[in-house]
Amino acid sequence: MSDNNRFAQFKLVLLGESAVGKSSIVHRFVKNTFDNMRESTIGAAFLTQTITLPESNTTIKFEIWDTAGQERYKSLAPMYYRNANAALCVYDITSRSSFNKAQDWIKELKKQAPEGIVICLVGNKLDLENEREVDQQEVIEYVQELNQENDNVILSECSAKNGEGVLDIFNKIGRALPVEEVINGANNRSRQVGSRKPGVNLSRQQNQPQSSNCC
Amino acid sequence: MSFNNLSFNISKSTATTSTSTGSWSNTDDGSKSGASEVSSGTNGNFIHGMLAKSPPQPVADPVDVNEDSQAKGVGKTDLIELFDKYEIGEVEDKFEQFKANVEEDDIFDEKKGLEDEAGRHAGLQVDLQAQEIGSGTQEIGSELQEIETRETEAQEMEQPKSIESQEPSVPEPVSEQQSEPQSEQPSQTPTQTQPVQSSEPSPEFNQSLDEIEEDEQSAIEQHQLTPEDMKSHPYRPEIRSRSLSQVNIDPSEQYQQSHKPFNFHNFLEHLKKKSADPVARYIRSFLLAFNKQSLNLTLQQKVKIVKDFKIFMNEKFQSFEPFMSMDDTDLENSREGLEKLIMNRIYTHCFPPEIIKTSLPINSGLVSRDLNDDKLFSKQLDKFSWINGQHLDVDLDKLGSQAHHDNVNFMDYAIKEFQKINTYRAPRDKIICILNACKIIFGFLKVNNQETNADAFMPILIIIIIKSKVDHLISNIHYIENFRSQEWLSHGETSYYLSSLQGAVNFIENIEFGDLSISQEEFDAHMEAWEADEKVKQQQLQMIKPQPIDLPQPLDQQPNQALSPSQVLFTSAEMFTKSISNFLSPSPQGSPGPDNEHLIQQQRKEIQQQKLQVEQQKKQEQLINQTFDQLQEIIPTLDKNIMRDIVTMNKGDMDSSLDACLQLVSD
């Protein structure tokens, strides 16, 4: 297939406490990467945005699902992260409790989320460095520990306010996503006419391309 | 004789088509032959068997053919039933008409030629049909409709297409505005979505496909609420100006990006084309077979059948024009169209609240489970109908102040859209009702300069669900999950809002004190009020059944008395709970929210009043007993039961009771 038009779509879910600025990060991401703001028709709870990975000449479309961060809606999260390819667990670097909450989310995702979900732990409000409560070194160690157990949690810090590090998050996620599988799966599907049973093709291919992709 | 000819025609047309796509069944099921699939014999497999057929090898292997048709018991019975249903003579008449048409039209020459060939194979061919696309009946039936459709189509073609020709291809915002009020007329919808009598599939099928679908088409076009609608809605002029200035991009462009516009009419137009005949025939066969068999199928089986049929048709789209040469967008439109078309037609067999209306034995646990869930959920809605913005930390009063126009506030508007979910049949249409309600919520948040994220959206959605009290919400959600194709369920904006709805429903189902911003006292008061209300309802139910009412009172020897104390007690209790529930469920947008303390005090007052009433009741009963005892001493000759009646009627008043008794004695 021609490499000019490689395209894959992924679902990304936003998790984190109410005031950590989940949606602000996405707003910033959606605003910055394109000139005009591509807000979806209905509201900012569901947004889509595409990025291009130049090295592989791939366009990735993120379908971003916001979740309500209030404690009382915590039990609803599984409704949102089923079928998700990636999850952004956001905390506020000036709030210890929000970091603890983000850790809880990671634990829950590992237990319940679809296998192979790309998890990204994001510390927001980098512009408030002098009010920092969550030590960066501590977070790095936490993530290293997680990744020793064969997980692949991405770590990032950003400021939705000034835009620092925001695009970087999505580029990192884009590179961690199983892009090849999805593209190959789609091609295979369109070639083999009719075997539209979703999942059949995908699951069969999941093993091979990933191993070549990882290292 | 002509009957067999008829069926052969179809077999030919399908045989040619399926060879080109024979490889489609190379899925998991493909390894098994059609025969072994079907031989399990359950009805649920009949379409599966039909779909999992191996590439047809018409006369090449007669043994296989026979085995298959034997295994396919369903197909055979169908055939017999069909013979019963359609008088052979009638069929022949129809076919004669059909031939007449054919002779006039050169295009049908091919079919005519096949007809002769069919004559030679007479006997075997019918059985062969059973193995072809599924069961021979379906084919014959579809061919019948085919004939009828052709007959009517010729006339119809000359009539102007009323709906589409009047509507501009790209609706301008202005025209949207004009059409919008129409969609607000709920009176239109019921006629359009009037359930088709499920027990009699044939009349339904005698109608031309086009006639029916055009009606349904108009419903959805008016129903689709675009962002322009939202912004230019007559009720909400302020929203329009504000949000347009806030977001300075072309909203229609956005709309194009996030929603591929669905055009049902387009699909139907494609389906009407000659080249799409085989596709149309598959659909008719399927519908006929489904409606015929549905009574024997469980809901689970129906879900599977519909799913398989969609996969099967998807395959067929690849091998027939005009679908074959469509781009992805048009093809998706066709898949959407197919889903809408078939679900509109088999809705009454697939939506539990409709299934139960047919008053036939419910053969599926899923149906009763859904209905039971509906019941439980509406009970839960009832229980928590008092929940307001403040309980979920949303100040609706403050927010709502800007959204009042012409006495229609956003909440009512959203509720109205949401409630439409029961007036539409296709899963997609139902989702659009949800989507429209969500759009209104976000429009409202935008106009009030709130964040339009999930944090702000979720609580309002929950309140909308509680206030709207939509019937059969759980059934609706399950129906969407079951009959909407997976490709649209797991991704996209609509699926986001469907998930949000499921989340909100989940929240309401499991609501607890800790989930709400409320004091324990207020919560308990609401719960007590609800329990009292429930008791009254149960009593009402008991009253309807002619059962004696238990009362640990001395009067329960004569429970059926018109003025029995239990009744008095009951009415007063009813009045009491009514007053409480009226008081406790103020309108969401009402004048500043009720003061909690005041509310609780009021509640306590009411409870005290009830206690007082009960005490009064007891006193009266004591009085009646006293009077009765005294009267017995005075007039020992009178029948005791009569005497008690009199005393009770006079509410224990000594003088009037004595008078009445004396009169009786003197008589």
Side-chain angles (χ1 to χ4, degrees):
Chain A
M1 308 282 105
S2 71
D3 273 5
N4 295 336
N5 204 8
R6 290 154 51 86
F7 177 83
Q9 180 171 325
F10 295 98
K11 172 175 163 184
L12 183 150
V13 63
L14 291 176
L15 299 166
E17 255 184 11
S18 266
V20 297
K22 299 187 292 293
S23 25
S24 309
I25 294 175
V26 176
H27 267 270
R28 174 58 75 174
F29 168 54
V30 171
K31 273 183 192 165
N32 263 14
T33 35
F34 279 85
D35 294 337
N36 53 3
M37 179 181 165
R38 286 201 185 182
E39 194 181 317
S40 72
T41 5
I42 296 190
F46 175 91
L47 295 163
T48 59
Q49 182 61 295
T50 47
I51 59 166
T52 310
L53 298 179
E55 72 273 14
S56 58
N57 197 16
T58 311
T59 305
I60 292 175
K61 182 180 181 185
F62 286 109
E63 199 176 78
I64 303 164
W65 291 40
D66 193 11
T67 62
Q70 296 96 317
E71 182 65 28
R72 63 167 65 105
Y73 306 123
K74 192 175 184 300
S75 61
L76 312 186
M79 295 279 176
Y80 292 89
Y81 61 65
R82 62 181 172 187
N83 300 320
N85 305 98
L88 227 59
C89 296
V90 187
Y91 66 93
D92 173 355
I93 63 163
T94 69
S95 155
R96 182 87 225 169
S97 66
S98 75
F99 179 60
N100 294 339
K101 192 54 116 351
Q103 288 176 303
D104 290 346
W105 280 122
I106 291 178
K107 262 182 228 152
E108 182 177 329
L109 285 172
K110 286 183 170 189
K111 253 189 258 164
Q112 316 226 29
E115 213 175 310
I117 190 170
V118 175
I119 300 173
C120 184
L121 179 61
V122 178
N124 189 26
K125 306 199 185 173
L126 205 51
D127 49 297
L128 300 176
E129 182 64 54
N130 47 3
E131 295 171 37
R132 184 189 273 275
E133 267 185 23
V134 183
D135 182 40
Q136 195 167 12
Q137 192 54 42
E138 182 196 341
V139 182
I140 291 171
E141 278 163 21
Y142 165 71
V143 170
Q144 274 171 350
E145 202 178 306
L146 282 178
N147 288 345
Q148 271 172 6
E149 302 160 21
N150 210 12
D151 292 309
N152 194 13
V153 176
I154 300 168
L155 174 62
S156 216
E157 286 194 347
C158 74
S159 161
K161 198 175 177 188
N162 60 28
E164 189 187 343
V166 171
L167 185 55
D168 187 50
I169 298 169
F170 292 89
N171 282 332
K172 276 183 189 166
I173 294 175
R175 291 193 178 96
L177 283 167
V179 175
E180 298 300 321
E181 285 171 42
V182 171
I183 290 174
N184 291 341
N187 284 341
N188 278 8
R189 234 178 298 154
S190 58
R191 247 182 279 136
Q192 301 180 357
V193 187
S195 58
R196 287 245 176 203
K197 288 196 172 172
V200 174
N201 283 338
L202 287 178
S203 60
R204 212 175 286 150
Q205 284 155 4
Q206 222 149 35
N207 299 332
Q208 302 132 6
Q210 202 168 25
S211 54
S212 65
N213 217 16
C214 266
C215 321
Chain B
M1 180 57 193
S2 55
F3 205 96
N4 289 334
N5 293 344
L6 194 62
S7 50
F8 186 77
N9 278 347
I10 313 141
S11 94
K12 265 303 173 191
S13 65
T14 50
T16 46
T17 60
S18 12
T19 34
S20 58
T21 59
S23 62
W24 80 275
S25 59
N26 288 343
T27 52
D28 298 328
D29 318 317
S31 50
K32 304 177 205 163
S33 80
S36 60
E37 277 291 326
V38 182
S39 58
S40 60
T42 61
N43 287 329
N45 274 338
F46 83 102
I47 285 182
H48 189 67
M50 142 186 157
L51 298 177
K53 68 173 171 34
S54 48
Q57 303 153 337
V59 203
D61 196 347
V63 184
D64 267 353
V65 170
N66 284 334
E67 267 179 12
D68 263 41
S69 52
Q70 269 166 14
K72 201 173 285 289
V74 181
K76 273 197 161 176
T77 18
D78 270 357
L79 210 61
I80 294 158
E81 278 169 22
L82 196 90
F83 274 104
D84 290 339
K85 198 136 204 158
Y86 299 98
E87 301 283 330
I88 298 288
E90 196 185 313
V91 176
E92 276 176 348
D93 285 349
K94 290 244 164 71
F95 189 63
E96 285 308 312
Q97 288 173 9
F98 179 55
K99 270 208 293 195
N101 281 347
V102 166
E103 271 152 18
E104 280 165 25
D105 194 347
D106 284 344
I107 300 171
F108 291 108
D109 267 354
E110 192 192 331
K111 285 194 174 184
K112 201 184 149 200
L114 294 169
E115 202 178 281
D116 300 327
E117 200 188 340
R120 279 177 256 139
H121 294 282
L124 184 63
Q125 292 308 324
V126 179
D127 276 354
L128 182 65
Q129 286 312 304
Q131 183 224 16
E132 292 278 12
I133 308 183
S135 65
T137 9
Q138 296 158 25
E139 292 310 312
I140 296 160
S142 79
E143 189 61 21
L144 271 178
Q145 294 143 28
E146 193 62 27
I147 298 163
E148 282 156 3
T149 313
R150 262 181 216 299
E151 283 166 359
T152 45
E153 234 173 23
Q155 296 151 5
E156 267 185 358
M157 287 309 229
E158 272 138 42
Q159 291 168 3
K161 292 275 175 291
S162 54
I163 300 161
E164 43 143 21
S165 59
Q166 282 164 17
E167 258 174 17
S169 51
V170 182
E172 300 292 305
V174 187
S175 70
E176 291 270 357
Q177 215 170 353
Q178 284 166 349
S179 66
E180 175 60 17
Q182 285 182 347
S183 72
E184 291 303 303
Q185 294 172 8
S187 58
Q188 281 192 346
T189 337
T191 48
Q192 280 156 353
T193 55
Q194 202 170 27
V196 186
Q197 282 307 309
S198 51
S199 49
E200 302 175 338
S202 42
E204 184 189 351
F205 285 91
N206 287 339
Q207 289 180 51
S208 142
L209 189 75
D210 322 78
E211 274 180 325
I212 302 167
E213 306 316 341
E214 282 199 16
D215 283 353
E216 286 164 1
Q217 145 85 359
S218 59
I220 180 65
E221 269 193 356
Q222 286 172 6
H223 179 59
Q224 271 269 18
L225 208 78
T226 64
E228 291 90 336
D229 286 338
M230 263 294 299
K231 284 159 187 164
S232 63
H233 191 275
Y235 292 141
R236 327 196 57 216
E238 215 165 300
I239 290 188
R240 181 185 197 179
S241 51
R242 276 167 162 266
S243 27
L244 282 181
S245 59
Q246 274 171 11
V247 187
N248 49 358
I249 30 159
D250 182 13
S252 65
E253 191 196 328
Q254 279 177 49
Y255 185 75
Q256 294 291 325
Q257 281 166 359
S258 58
H259 296 258
K260 283 158 228 128
F262 169 59
N263 190 333
F264 189 48
H265 195 79
N266 221 341
F267 168 69
L268 293 174
E269 283 299 310
H270 285 310
L271 205 59
K272 271 189 229 163
K273 288 180 185 156
K274 280 236 162 60
S275 54
D277 256 14
V279 169
R281 239 175 285 166
Y282 281 124
I283 295 171
R284 289 199 192 92
S285 311
F286 169 77
L287 290 174
L288 188 72
F290 191 93
N291 281 307
K292 243 176 161 7
Q293 298 290 330
S294 78
L295 293 182
N296 303 323
L297 300 171
T298 66
L299 189 58
Q300 221 159 4
Q301 286 170 322
K302 288 174 191 169
V303 173
K304 170 112 176 68
I305 289 166
V306 170
K307 207 172 172 183
D308 286 350
F309 180 69
K310 282 188 207 158
I311 294 171
F312 172 79
M313 284 312 292
N314 217 1
E315 181 59 33
K316 293 296 163 204
F317 282 158
Q318 309 281 345
S319 30
F320 293 105
E321 289 296 347
F323 307 101
M324 218 162 103
S325 51
M326 278 180 180
D327 63 16
D328 281 353
T329 316
D330 282 347
L331 206 58
E332 186 173 355
N333 189 63
S334 301
R335 290 199 299 272
E336 281 276 17
L338 174 74
E339 181 182 280
K340 182 175 160 96
L341 191 145
I342 60 173
M343 291 322 295
N344 272 341
R345 303 288 283 275
I346 60 175
Y347 182 63
T348 48
H349 302 295
C350 298
F351 186 57
E354 292 289 334
I355 296 174
I356 202 170
K357 278 185 199 164
T358 57
S359 71
L360 290 154
I362 301 160
N363 55 2
S364 164
L366 275 186
V367 174
S368 46
R369 202 192 68 193
D370 273 6
L371 291 171
N372 194 40
D373 285 352
D374 281 341
K375 223 180 272 172
L376 287 177
F377 190 67
S378 51
K379 195 174 176 184
Q380 192 79 350
L381 286 180
D382 225 36
K383 192 170 172 181
F384 292 101
S385 58
W386 47 269
I387 287 184
N388 246 324
Q390 56 184 358
H391 301 125
L392 299 172
D393 305 321
V394 186
D395 195 344
L396 281 174
D397 294 322
K398 195 177 146 203
L399 288 180
S401 58
Q402 289 191 44
H404 281 284
H405 292 292
D406 304 331
N407 291 328
V408 176
N409 66 46
F410 98 97
M411 200 96 164
D412 296 337
Y413 189 39
I415 287 171
K416 207 164 141 193
E417 281 299 323
F418 191 45
Q419 281 168 337
K420 284 182 187 168
I421 196 168
N422 278 315
T423 59
Y424 287 95
R425 308 174 132 208
R428 182 181 201 279
D429 293 353
K430 285 180 182 289
I431 288 182
I432 285 172
C433 296
I434 298 167
L435 216 58
N436 284 343
C438 293
K439 280 183 195 174
I440 292 161
I441 296 174
F442 278 109
F444 166 76
L445 287 170
K446 269 184 201 161
V447 106
N448 287 288
N449 295 316
Q450 299 289 308
E451 291 257 32
T452 56
N453 57 19
D455 288 354
F457 165 68
M458 202 39 142
I460 302 183
L461 180 66
I462 289 168
I463 292 165
I464 297 273
I465 293 170
I466 292 176
K467 301 293 175 202
S468 61
K469 294 190 177 177
V470 169
D471 286 337
H472 307 302
L473 186 57
I474 308 292
S475 282
N476 272 302
I477 293 175
H478 287 168
Y479 172 80
I480 292 170
E481 286 170 340
N482 284 336
F483 293 104
R484 180 96 176 132
S485 285
Q486 274 302 318
E487 62 173 316
W488 301 302
L489 267 186
S490 52
H491 291 286
E493 195 163 26
T494 51
S495 71
Y496 177 78
Y497 290 102
L498 187 63
S499 295
S500 299
L501 177 67
Q502 288 165 323
V505 165
N506 206 308
F507 179 82
I508 295 168
E509 279 173 338
N510 300 302
I511 225 162
E512 280 172 7
F513 166 69
D515 293 327
L516 302 170
S517 301
I518 193 173
S519 69
Q520 184 73 57
E521 289 80 15
E522 193 190 343
F523 186 82
D524 290 346
H526 283 300
M527 289 299 102
E528 270 173 38
W530 180 76
E531 275 159 25
D533 202 35
E534 276 299 289
K535 262 183 204 160
V536 172
K537 275 184 193 157
Q538 277 171 8
Q539 278 178 337
Q540 263 167 342
L541 281 176
Q542 281 176 350
M543 291 293 281
I544 292 165
K545 295 174 205 160
Q547 274 178 3
I549 289 123
D550 289 341
L551 250 206
Q553 306 297 339
L555 284 192
D556 57 0
Q557 298 161 332
Q558 294 151 332
N560 289 327
Q561 276 191 9
L563 262 173
S564 76
S566 60
Q567 264 196 339
V568 179
L569 183 66
F570 161 66
T571 5
S572 65
E574 188 187 17
M575 278 161 60
F576 150 70
T577 39
K578 262 188 193 162
S579 66
I580 281 196
S581 50
N582 286 344
F583 182 77
L584 287 184
S585 37
S587 77
Q589 293 296 327
S591 49
D595 184 336
N596 287 356
E597 280 188 23
H598 175 69
L599 192 105
I600 293 158
Q601 279 177 3
Q602 187 75 19
Q603 169 88 22
R604 282 182 184 146
K605 236 186 248 173
E606 298 272 7
I607 290 170
Q608 277 175 354
Q609 267 179 21
Q610 193 196 25
K611 279 180 188 162
L612 218 73
Q613 279 171 333
V614 173
E615 272 173 25
Q616 278 175 354
Q617 201 58 48
K618 273 183 189 164
K619 273 182 194 161
Q620 196 173 37
E621 277 158 15
Q622 279 174 0
L623 185 68
I624 289 173
N625 283 339
Q626 274 179 9
T627 315
F628 176 70
D629 290 339
Q630 285 177 4
L631 275 177
Q632 253 189 322
E633 283 175 21
I634 298 168
I635 318 167
T637 50
L638 193 64
D639 183 287
K640 279 179 190 172
N641 285 339
I642 294 172
M643 189 182 284
R644 192 173 276 279
D645 283 351
I646 292 168
V647 176
T648 317
M649 252 161 24
N650 289 306
K651 293 177 188 172
D653 182 64
M654 184 62 197
D655 291 341
S656 41
S657 302
L658 184 60
D659 284 348
C661 288
L662 286 174
Q663 207 164 8
L664 272 180
V665 173
S666 63
D667 283 347

